[in-house]
Amino acid sequence: MRYIILIFIAFLLLPSCQTEKKADVQENIQKARSLVKEFGGTLKPILVSHFKNDGPVAAIDVCSKSAPEIAQNLSKKSGWDIKRVSQKPRNLKTGTADAWELKVLQSFIAAQQAGADVDTLEHYEVLTLEDGSRVFRYMKPQKTLKLCTACHGTSIDPAISTKLDALYPGDRARGFSVGDVRGAFSLKRKL
Ligand code: HEC
């Protein structure tokens, strides 16, 4: 009889655990989305204003200094691990995608090639690591805009490419066209 009661209680608890998990995931998705908005919303205006006022060569410094700073500050403030990665990185140290990120980036590229607008895409997953701990991972692709092609496009002004060559040996982040997946915001949080 005791077992029957225990089983009964377990059944009663099961759905509530599941809804709690779902709510937990939903909360993380919302938080990840708002962090991405904050990251992009801080970086892009700085980039655009430097680009307009000081020109693209000077604006390279915004990307190489401000972008990592914003990511670091946001990570510290939120407790999430926040970065930008790419299938073709410029900063090989910080921008190289891991195996999971690469798989997700490839799915974004496949969706874009099938006609999807990159801005509508995102991906999240709860992963169980080898030690049994769980992490929530979220990625949102960054679409190549006209502005981006000055430094990531197919024909880059020699003044820009000379500076890029000097700062980023092995730079792979060129040859992108408007609408392409340039890379993605990648966020991670231990559950
Ligand atoms: C003025 C030149 C310049 C412009 C314009 C520019 N970028 Fe970059 N981008 C860079 C540099 C330099 C880096 C390397 C930053 C670093 O060292 O972390 C970079 C890095 C990145 C990364 C990180 C991954 C990697 O490749 O290292 C992404 C993603 C990215 N840019 C996307 C964009 C998008 C999207 C736009 C347009 C909205 C854009 N960039 C416009 C110069 C530029």
Side-chain angles (χ1 to χ4, degrees), residues 56 59-60 63 84 89-91 142 147-148 151-152 168 182:
I60 291 174
C63 297
R84 291 190 310 163
R90 168 152 295 160
N91 188 325
Q142 269 197 293
L147 159 82
C148 320
C151 300
H152 294 296
Y168 298 99
R182 165 58 196 98

Side-chain angles (χ1 to χ4, degrees), residues 116-129:
D117 179 350
V118 170
D119 284 339
T120 62
L121 306 171
E122 68 176 352
H123 181 84
Y124 56 84
E125 228 173 291
V126 175
L127 300 176
T128 305
L129 306 182

Side-chain angles (χ1 to χ4, degrees), residues 3-4 15 29-30 35 43 58 71 82 101 115 135 166 168 172-174:
Y3 289 116
I4 293 172
I29 297 167
Q30 298 301 343
L35 286 168
L43 177 59
I82 303 168
E101 287 165 332
V135 286
Y168 298 99
R172 295 177 58 208
R174 303 182 198 190

